[in-house]
Amino acid sequence: DVKVTQSSRYLVKRTGEKVFLECVQDMDHENMFWYRQDPGLGLRLIYFSYDVKMKEKGDIPEGYSVSREKKERFSLILESASTNQTSMYLCASRSGTNKQYFGPGTRLTVT
Amino acid sequence: SQQGEEDPQALSIQEGENATMNCSYKTSINNLQWYRQNSGRGLVHLILIRSNEREKHSGRLRVTLDTSKKSSSLLITASRAADTASYFCATEIDSWGKLQFGAGTQVVVTP
């Protein structure tokens, strides 16, 4: 079974802090994605990566950056956390059959 | 941007009944996928239907796709309490595999 893990289930940070969310997949997938999920809005794509060191902006990249130094690891960085970044963050990797496999999510609260 | 719109937003049924939810989208797609999310967890892939397919089955799931109407439906037959979850449709719109999600349908199945 494909496994996608995220570094934390719950995280509480203060406004202005730099926040790192890590995601690791174990199936050698090329493409990885970061989404945020907010009530009533579904999932929105923040960034995605199609190879090591390659990244593309999604629909809502403002305030975020990403890093993919190794194929299995895709990190989301909040350069200076703000309260409007309080959300559920979901990482996914995509298989050759187009399915996406999701991690359990990180619920981030910025106070 | 939100591509898919699910209908209804919420659905409450009894065990053994069928649950039907609909999804409409706006642009051309490569495929349409349905995902399930149990409360506060990551998403699980249920079924994928390609743009040149009209109907697909997987166990108690039946998905239809009407590209002329830009709509899809998911039918869960003989619902169980364990089917209680939120269901999301997602459209894949490009070769990178980016998905655009709707806001979801919350399904509650009571014993």
Side-chain angles (χ1 to χ4, degrees):
Chain A
D1 274 358
V2 175
K3 193 161 187 184
V4 179
T5 55
Q6 295 183 227
S7 49
S8 306
R9 289 282 288 127
Y10 299 94
L11 209 51
V12 180
K13 295 292 181 180
R14 293 194 180 276
T15 302
E17 280 193 83
K18 191 168 187 174
V19 181
F20 292 87
L21 303 181
E22 303 235 307
C23 174
V24 178
Q25 50 99 358
D26 66 355
M27 281 302 291
D28 204 38
H29 289 164
E30 302 282 345
N31 295 7
M32 296 185 73
F33 306 82
W34 274 106
Y35 298 92
R36 66 177 279 177
Q37 182 178 22
D38 300 288
L41 296 178
L43 279 73
R44 293 178 292 168
L45 180 65
I46 305 171
Y47 265 97
F48 73 101
S49 168
Y50 53 93
D51 202 348
V52 175
K53 297 190 190 292
M54 307 303 287
K55 58 191 179 187
E56 291 286 339
K57 293 178 181 178
D59 297 320
I60 51 164
E62 296 78 19
Y64 303 95
S65 62
V66 289
S67 171
R68 191 153 179 215
E69 296 297 318
K70 292 185 177 181
K71 194 173 187 179
E72 67 270 19
R73 188 179 298 269
F74 190 33
S75 301
L76 179 70
I77 303 153
L78 286 65
E79 297 290 342
S80 177
S82 64
T83 54
N84 63 13
Q85 292 179 310
T86 291
S87 187
M88 172 75 120
Y89 290 87
L90 292 158
C91 171
S93 70
R94 178 176 178 255
S95 73
T97 57
N98 297 21
K99 300 176 189 177
Q100 290 197 14
Y101 294 85
F102 283 80
T106 295
R107 193 168 291 280
L108 172 68
T109 302
V110 183
T111 62
Chain B
S1 60
Q2 201 166 317
Q3 160 86 312
E5 300 276 343
E6 281 101 337
D7 172 58
Q9 290 185 327
L11 186 58
S12 186
I13 56 174
Q14 293 197 313
E15 267 191 330
E17 294 181 338
N18 295 343
T20 300
M21 57 211 88
N22 303 297
C23 169
S24 60
Y25 58 92
K26 297 172 186 171
T27 63
S28 297
I29 62 172
N30 293 338
N31 61 68
L32 186 144
Q33 304 178 31
W34 286 90
Y35 288 81
R36 183 187 74 222
Q37 184 180 37
N38 290 91
S39 181
R41 308 296 295 183
L43 277 71
V44 174
H45 183 273
L46 295 176
I47 196 164
L48 179 153
I49 186 164
R50 301 193 184 282
S51 59
N52 60 355
E53 297 177 308
R54 293 296 167 257
E55 188 170 315
K56 203 157 184 184
H57 296 254
S58 176
R60 294 183 296 111
L61 305 179
R62 173 179 167 247
V63 169
T64 62
L65 179 65
D66 186 335
T67 52
S68 66
K69 294 181 179 178
K70 291 187 169 58
S71 66
S72 173
S73 68
L74 172 67
L75 168 68
I76 306 172
T77 59
S79 297
R80 305 167 182 168
D83 295 327
T84 294
S86 292
Y87 292 82
F88 294 88
C89 73
T91 50
E92 187 182 281
I93 59 170
D94 64 21
S95 60
W96 298 118
K98 289 189 290 184
L99 293 178
Q100 292 194 321
F101 285 83
T105 293
Q106 195 167 1
V107 175
V108 175
V109 183
T110 53

